Amino acid sequence: MTTITAESQSFAPAVAEPANTAVARTRLLAIDALRGLVMLFMLVDHVRETFFLHLQVTDPVDANTTDPGLFFTRLLSTFCAPTFVALTGLSAWLYGQSHTKKEVSEFLLKRGLFLIFLELTVICLAWPTQTFEFPPARFWLQVIWAIGISMVALSALIYLPRKGQFAVGLAIVCLHNLLDGIVLTPQDSGYAIWAVLHQRTVIDLGMGLTAKTTYPVLPWIGVILLGYACGPWFGKGSDPALRLKRLVRLGVGMILAFVAIRYANVYGDKPWFVADSQIRTLMSFLALTKYPPSLLFLLPTVGTGVLLLALFEKYQDSAVLPHLAYLGGAPMFFYILHLYTLKAIYHIALALYGPVKGTVFGVDNLSTVWIWVFALIVPLYLPTRWFAGVKQRRKDIWWLKYL
């Protein structure tokens, strides 16, 4: 969930605006629209989790046993977190065009801590099977937590020279899989810190409470830093044609690098295999580790996001983009709204029909999940659009920027 939105005053440039202002609005519209699109992908995944609780998938997804429809529905959501985190870094740089580096650092620090607080309070209670008892028996340290920690780290890393930002970001993203063999136990010194950074596991907090580090944060720190380092491509007065050329080259290069490294089967994720059918062989090739995100997970997901960003900027006159940009203009509002909407629907269904899938409520067909996705888009879009408009109009209300 990106948490600093592009600083556009409106999603569509006015006809009478000077050319340089119109270009800036177009550039920022594309960023918000991409954010909005991947939020819809996120909605697909969370509807799946709500109604398919009885058919949870492993990480990486098991290509031998998972239904192909469920596999590719899950695959769609893999673009969400990498795009959110990279755009958060990019948007932080854009924020710095009208603020000092110290102000950007302070905002990142405060915003990151605020996100961590939200994850541990409002958001941890939002998942369908969680009760409203606080504190819950288990804290799930998920994507908002990871973005919050990454923003706190970025608040310090922005002081590196730009070449240093690229060097550190690339080193983290490309080399962190060398650390996969380091697996600590609760008895080991530094276990909790390592669990937060790179090992998906459970931390005992005492008093019967635990925390699951679903999103180890080290690779995400690399992604947010690289997003920030690419910010000058989008700066005021930058050449749109040159930016598009850079984006296309970067996106294509990342995807080709993924294919080459993945085909070699020597580094970056668990090996793929030739299965008894072409579809399952393809599934094995695309079954990548998200927790923490492997190099091979990040290459195609961020690469595709980069290409979509170029596409959105090139076709900024599309009638769809402003609507996507409204969703991307109020990401935290949408995130909390959709989680509690799904929680309400789940518990209403559970009260009406009972736990029809073991201990949980669920549906039989994946098509039902997609029907719910399309049914929810407009009811979620309308209040999000309203709130995005409030944020744009009421710059005097300082706390709105935190939502």
Side-chain angles (χ1 to χ4, degrees):
M1 177 62 52
T2 43
T3 52
I4 302 176
T5 57
E7 293 187 307
S8 51
Q9 298 299 315
S10 63
F11 293 127
V15 175
E17 289 179 339
N20 60 338
T21 303
V23 168
R25 296 282 178 84
T26 297
R27 175 194 68 224
L28 300 175
L29 170 69
I31 294 171
D32 279 340
L34 176 58
R35 182 183 293 114
L37 176 65
V38 295
M39 288 170 67
L40 292 180
F41 293 167
M42 175 191 67
L43 175 64
V44 173
D45 194 50
H46 290 170
V47 172
R48 175 194 65 80
E49 287 188 339
T50 300
F51 296 114
F52 261 41
L53 277 171
H54 56 293
L55 289 176
Q56 288 296 296
V57 294
T58 57
D59 180 59
V61 181
D62 190 336
N64 278 320
T65 60
T66 304
D67 174 74
L70 180 58
F71 178 91
F72 287 104
T73 296
R74 168 63 177 167
L75 186 68
L76 186 65
S77 74
T78 60
F79 298 97
C80 300
T83 304
F84 284 145
V85 176
L87 289 182
T88 298
L90 172 58
S91 297
W93 190 92
L94 292 172
Y95 183 78
Q97 290 203 288
S98 56
H99 298 79
T100 67
K101 185 159 287 189
K102 181 180 178 182
E103 289 172 335
V104 175
S105 179
E106 289 176 350
F107 182 74
L108 285 166
L109 177 61
K110 291 186 290 186
R111 192 67 173 90
L113 294 175
F114 177 68
L115 290 185
I116 294 169
F117 170 78
L118 278 183
E119 183 75 85
L120 298 177
T121 55
V122 176
I123 294 171
C124 77
L125 301 177
W127 302 102
T129 56
Q130 283 279 49
T131 67
F132 283 104
E133 180 183 4
F134 192 86
R138 172 165 292 182
F139 292 94
W140 297 88
L141 307 181
Q142 303 198 85
V143 65
I144 301 302
W145 155 274
I147 295 176
I149 295 288
S150 298
M151 293 179 79
V152 170
L154 185 61
S155 70
L157 293 170
I158 64 172
Y159 289 102
L160 290 173
R162 188 165 178 238
K163 288 183 179 179
Q165 293 166 1
F166 274 119
V168 173
L170 286 172
I172 292 173
V173 168
C174 296
L175 302 179
H176 80 90
N177 285 115
L178 296 174
L179 305 173
D180 290 346
I182 303 176
V183 179
L184 301 184
T185 68
Q187 291 73 39
D188 293 323
S189 176
Y191 169 78
I193 295 174
W194 188 241
V196 168
L197 286 175
H198 204 260
Q199 183 176 331
R200 192 187 193 198
T201 186
V202 176
I203 302 172
D204 186 359
L205 303 177
M207 299 182 293
L209 303 178
T210 59
K212 177 68 178 286
T213 55
T214 303
Y215 274 71
V217 300
L218 180 59
W220 299 116
I221 293 173
V223 174
I224 199 172
L225 182 58
L226 290 174
Y228 183 89
C230 289
W233 295 2
F234 296 80
K236 296 174 183 176
S238 57
D239 182 0
L242 178 60
R243 178 168 59 251
L244 287 177
K245 184 181 296 185
R246 285 171 167 171
L247 291 173
V248 171
R249 286 177 176 174
L250 176 61
V252 171
M254 293 180 76
I255 292 173
L256 290 178
F258 160 73
V259 173
I261 299 172
R262 185 61 166 158
Y263 184 78
N265 231 6
V266 293
Y267 178 75
D269 213 312
K270 295 178 174 62
W272 63 281
F273 55 85
V274 176
D276 56 2
S277 66
Q278 291 183 344
I279 187 66
R280 292 204 175 273
T281 299
L282 176 62
M283 288 166 58
S284 173
F285 196 84
L286 298 176
L288 305 166
T289 303
K290 182 180 180 181
Y291 310 110
S294 67
L295 168 64
L296 292 178
F297 178 91
L298 293 171
L299 281 174
T301 52
V302 177
T304 301
V306 169
L307 292 177
L308 286 172
L309 187 56
L311 182 69
F312 284 3
E313 186 168 344
K314 184 175 182 179
Y315 295 101
Q316 77 275 9
D317 294 330
S318 168
V320 176
L321 291 194
H323 297 289
L324 290 175
Y326 277 116
L327 291 177
M332 183 55 68
F333 180 88
F334 179 90
Y335 190 79
I336 294 174
L337 176 65
H338 96 281
L339 285 181
Y340 277 95
T341 299
L342 289 174
K343 187 180 183 78
I345 293 172
Y346 174 83
H347 282 283
I348 290 172
L350 186 64
L352 291 175
Y353 303 107
V356 295
K357 298 293 182 180
T359 60
V360 300
F361 172 82
V363 297
D364 294 322
N365 300 311
L366 191 61
S367 60
T368 307
V369 169
W370 282 94
I371 290 171
W372 270 107
V373 169
F374 287 109
L376 285 170
I377 289 175
V378 172
L380 292 172
Y381 166 78
L382 293 176
T384 304
R385 174 172 177 160
W386 166 81
F387 188 79
V390 171
K391 282 182 63 181
Q392 288 182 336
R393 294 190 303 270
R394 298 302 306 273
K395 300 295 185 181
D396 57 309
I397 305 178
W398 65 269
W399 53 265
L400 286 178
K401 65 183 178 181
Y402 287 93
L403 295 176

